[in-house]
Amino acid sequence: MVAILITAGPTREYLDDVRFLSNASSGRMGCALAEAALGAGHRATLVLGPVEVAPPSGAVVISVVSALEMQAAAERAFDAHDVLIAAAAVADWRPAERLAGKPPRQAGRTTIELVPNPDVVAGLAARKGGRVVLGFALESVSAGFPAAVDRGRRKLVAKHLDAVVVNLYGASGCGAAECGICHADGRDEVLPRTDKRRAADRMVAAAVALWQERNAR
């Protein structure tokens, strides 16, 4: 049995107590990954942003809201796991200052100062040791798979990942997945467009195989 940590869903970066910056991630892929892990007899922990989809029964769920909360939760859980699958859509930016309450609307333009959020998966991959880290790269539909795979491979190298799932953003928020898996050894595996649960089975199997290969040496 392999212990698999999965980050999933969006983060919300609050401007005040009501308004926030976020994205369209539904968390479906992350929950499908947890279901696939459990179905294969592994242990699954979900660090889950704010979503409406219900996580699978049997998964340990750690609910978070912001990118900083997701980073802290994933860092605490990482050491007790063998594999990290980072499927979360972490917001790239957060407001430099969160205002109290709900400030009234003002006429005219306004400016919001943003600061970068941490790169959660890169930070964890930097101290992975014998663990396996599989990241996600959400790329443009219009670019097509060859260009998307090329950009995904650059992320794989820059973040010291063992593999990266290149996911076309047309599948974001829906039940289908259109993606490929790029391995650090140069292998590329393009998955046929299918439902996220079946795609998740292949992703979990690929990550577990990498862990088994590494730890059999």
Side-chain angles (χ1 to χ4, degrees), residues 145 177-181 189-194 198-200 202-203:
F145 255 113
E178 188 173 358
C179 54
I181 305 174
E189 179 182 359
V190 177
L191 306 182
R193 184 176 176 85
T194 185
R198 291 186 180 181
R202 181 62 204 131
M203 294 171 195

Side-chain angles (χ1 to χ4, degrees), residues 32-47:
L33 286 162
E35 186 178 352
L38 294 168
H42 304 302
R43 180 160 62 88
T45 299
L46 264 174
V47 179

Side-chain angles (χ1 to χ4, degrees), residues 20-38:
F20 57 83
L21 304 175
S22 192
N23 56 64
S25 174
S26 66
R28 287 191 181 96
M29 178 56 82
C31 290
L33 286 162
E35 186 178 352
L38 294 168

Side-chain angles (χ1 to χ4, degrees), residues 12-27:
R12 290 181 181 176
E13 313 302 328
Y14 275 86
L15 304 168
D16 53 41
D17 290 354
V18 176
R19 306 174 182 96
F20 57 83
L21 304 175
S22 192
N23 56 64
S25 174
S26 66

Side-chain angles (χ1 to χ4, degrees), residues 3-214:
I4 301 176
L5 176 64
I6 301 159
T7 65
T11 65
R12 290 181 181 176
E13 313 302 328
Y14 275 86
L15 304 168
D16 53 41
D17 290 354
V18 176
R19 306 174 182 96
F20 57 83
L21 304 175
S22 192
N23 56 64
S25 174
S26 66
R28 287 191 181 96
M29 178 56 82
C31 290
L33 286 162
E35 186 178 352
L38 294 168
H42 304 302
R43 180 160 62 88
T45 299
L46 264 174
V47 179
L48 187 61
V51 297
E52 295 183 2
V53 62
S57 175
V60 175
V61 180
I62 304 170
S63 297
V64 299
V65 176
S66 70
L68 294 180
E69 289 178 2
M70 183 167 284
Q71 179 190 39
E75 287 181 346
R76 286 193 298 269
F78 189 49
D79 288 345
H81 291 79
D82 306 307
V83 170
L84 166 66
I85 303 179
V90 181
D92 294 323
W93 305 88
R94 69 181 186 275
E97 179 185 6
R98 174 173 172 167
L99 303 177
K102 181 182 178 294
R105 176 176 176 175
Q106 297 179 351
R109 296 185 177 183
T110 189
T111 300
I112 300 170
E113 182 183 0
L114 301 177
V115 296
N117 272 324
D119 190 322
V120 177
V121 65
L124 294 172
R127 62 180 185 88
K128 64 185 177 184
R131 289 173 290 246
V132 165
V133 178
L134 187 151
F136 271 64
L138 186 63
E139 300 294 344
S140 169
V141 174
S142 60
F145 255 113
V149 165
D150 182 62
R151 286 197 292 268
R153 283 209 159 274
R154 290 201 292 269
K155 290 183 179 180
L156 183 152
V157 172
K159 299 184 182 187
H160 305 288
L161 307 177
D162 299 290
V164 62
V165 174
V166 178
N167 196 21
L168 297 186
Y169 69 65
S172 183
C174 72
E178 188 173 358
C179 54
I181 305 174
C182 301
H183 294 262
D185 64 7
R187 290 178 293 132
D188 293 331
E189 179 182 359
V190 177
L191 306 182
R193 184 176 176 85
T194 185
D195 63 85
K196 290 186 176 179
R197 178 62 175 81
R198 291 186 180 181
D201 284 336
R202 181 62 204 131
M203 294 171 195
V204 167
V208 169
L210 287 172
W211 182 84
Q212 290 171 336
E213 290 169 9
R214 177 169 296 169

